[in-house]
Amino acid sequence: MGKAIYWFRNDLRLADNSAWKLAIESGSQVYPVYIHSPDDDGEWAVGGASRWWLHHALQDLEDQLSRKGLRLIIRVGDPERVLQALINELGITEAFWNKRYIPAQFEADDRLHTDLVKQGIDVTVCNSSLLLEPWDICSGSGQPYRVYTPFLRAFRSNEVQDPVNSDGDPVVPCSWPGSLEVSGLGLLPEIDWAKGLRSFWKPTRAGGLERLRDFARRELDAYDRMRDIPSEDGTSRLSPYLHWGQLGPREVVAALSPMPDSNGKETYYREIVWREFAYHILFNNPDTDMKPLQPSFNQFTWREDAGDLEAWQKGLTGYPIVDAGMRQLWETGWMHNRVRMIVASFLVKHLLLPWQEGARWFWDTLVDADLASNSLGWQWAGGCGADAAPYFRVFNPILQGKKFDPDGEYVRKYVPELKDLPNRYIHTPWEMPASMQESLQVAIGDQYPAPVIEHKQGRDRALEAFQQMRERTKQ
Ligand code: FAD
């Protein structure tokens, strides 16, 4: 009887898992493996909030495996070496995994695949994390897309696979090699800052399925109308489950397709396709995690200002909607999409700080930190990416607050020092008369900061920097 390694990465589930299905159907004894390799991912090693999520997702995966009589073999180190050692130790004849599409990971996997085949190992590689492969879609001229709408049109002309049934029972190995415990990976913070994350999330597959069911039943229909209101539970909050592969996108689409047709359902489908677009862009433009897709932005002069960066990170810019977003992120490891756009625009335009700084902070603080979606989102905000808002369109954080959080419900929740302000001042607390500041005990510049930069001044400075870049690139 053969012996197979199943290598788990961002596909931490057994259901709807194409490579897992083939592993259990191979008839070989299946050894599930997870390799933690923080040194390998360099700048993009799993960030703090994501490590918290990963700890729980791995424990949950262990539970799912143990119900099948299996264990998860956990090792640390360079994946190639660790796998090679396991192959030698166990006499492995087959290897199974699902593809990763982050360019550096994709290439490393490809090299490993070739090496293993040379050694006579049978390697099976599948897709379980995207609806379509990033290379499945290209324009009439054979080029990858850079604009979302034609990408969506082309996407729709392809058939998306149904979820696969991978619920069968594997052949259980007769003996097991040594393994670390999940807790041995040291993924949980030493100082416990994760209380907010614990109360906001159920980081298990069952938690993801429950959320998917609730969203389909309660929020899908009105998604198009409610998705921009940060105080409402109007979005699915499935992003971390999708990032870690506790749910697959095929499962999400299949769960929603029997629901009655509505604008909400159509809009949601388009958002899921934005995720595919993000992978399409990064896969075809491998350095856009750090470099602007539009080369003219290499000539952009960003500021350096540690104080302003810290004010933004800590939610102390003096703009309530920005500060609420940054504090929601710190407290829950997640931020509403509308507010992600507002805070990103504020960093890049009002503060004129590089989008890469914002991307790094999000990377460390989001439980759904995903290199493709994060890079796309930040380049979009910076005006330098695919389908980006033109740089000269500067979000006004006051008007955005008034429009999407008219009664300040979201601000009051995450910036409690402003909770008693009348609606009139909730997005412009610096306009409060001194007597009101005194009676509410919210002295601006003391209990709550004055704006780090005045809106018009920030906007004008951003537009001038953009103009200078255009002149430089014309020369
Ligand atoms: P829903 O509104 O319920 O959408 C459903 C799913 O569609 C999401 O779970 C997600 O997988 C996908 N999706 C929705 N919007 C986008 C989008 N704009 N781009 C790509 N996929 C999308 N998303 C991440 O998953 N990880 C990130 O690191 C990330 N960083 C971002 C950074 C910035 C500056 C911006 C503006 C957006 C970023 N996004 C990121 C996209 C988006 O904000 C989140 O996917 C969304 O807020 C997740 O919440 P949800 O699951 O409730 O989304």
Side-chain angles (χ1 to χ4, degrees), residues 137-146 280 284:
I137 298 175
C138 51
S139 68
S141 62
Q143 295 302 309
Y145 285 99
R146 286 183 166 208
H280 179 80
N284 289 301

Side-chain angles (χ1 to χ4, degrees), residues 215 223 227 235-239 242 268 271-272 274-275 278 334-337 340-341 344 362 366 368-370 373-374 376-378 380-381:
F215 175 73
Y223 176 75
R227 62 187 286 263
T235 71
S236 68
R237 297 200 303 275
L238 290 178
S239 47
L242 284 166
Y268 191 79
E271 291 309 309
I272 291 287
W274 268 102
R275 178 173 177 271
W334 182 86
M335 193 195 300
H336 188 279
N337 179 61
R340 289 189 204 204
M341 295 196 286
F362 269 31
L366 280 171
D368 65 18
D370 179 281
S373 299
N374 202 37
L376 182 83
W378 277 100
W380 181 90

